Amino acid sequence: QVQLVESGGGLVQPGGSLRLSCAASGSSFSIYYMGWYRQAPGKLRELVAAITRDGSTNYADSVKGRFTISRDNAKNMVYLQMNSLKPDDTAVYYCNLKTLGRANYWGQGTQVTVSS
């Protein structure tokens, strides 16, 4: 089993910044990718950003140029730097990890609220 623990969420004003962190721990495993999803009330969970083992990244069109995903492979950590935040970014953000064995793991989520 793999456990994911997110941190860094909170309340921020429009135009502000937050940095989310996700720590993976557990038995030995090999990571295929780590990423961030988000889910707003009444909406489907959507991919925000992902980073593969070789460092390749993907972003939702709505966050390109504002969010940056990064990873520390040695520490099994993934980060999401969120700048120029908008009210539409308000959601619960979930860390996701997929192993080479095709297992899929989720964190409990961290609330991000962008409001004046």
Side-chain angles (χ1 to χ4, degrees):
Q1 291 290 321
V2 175
Q3 291 185 331
L4 304 176
V5 180
E6 302 108 329
S7 62
L11 175 65
V12 65
Q13 294 183 340
S17 298
L18 285 174
R19 188 184 189 226
L20 306 183
S21 300
C22 175
S25 62
S27 301
S28 61
F29 58 91
S30 297
I31 298 173
Y32 179 69
Y33 77 79
M34 296 185 74
W36 291 94
Y37 288 71
R38 68 186 181 187
Q39 187 166 22
K43 304 293 184 181
L44 296 175
R45 188 177 300 181
E46 65 174 349
L47 176 67
V48 177
I51 184 166
T52 63
R53 191 168 184 168
D54 66 356
S56 178
T57 58
N58 295 102
Y59 296 93
D61 288 341
S62 60
V63 308
K64 286 181 179 178
R66 300 188 297 118
F67 291 10
T68 303
I69 188 170
S70 61
R71 183 186 177 199
D72 186 331
N73 290 331
K75 297 181 179 180
N76 288 330
M77 297 280 294
V78 66
Y79 309 92
L80 186 67
Q81 178 66 46
M82 304 185 294
N83 298 326
S84 302
L85 283 162
K86 306 174 181 179
D88 285 348
D89 296 319
T90 296
V92 177
Y93 284 71
Y94 296 91
C95 181
N96 174 246
L97 183 155
K98 188 174 183 178
T99 71
L100 291 176
R102 304 298 300 276
N104 212 26
Y105 297 92
W106 297 91
Q108 294 183 0
T110 184
Q111 177 71 47
V112 172
T113 302
V114 184
S115 175
S116 298

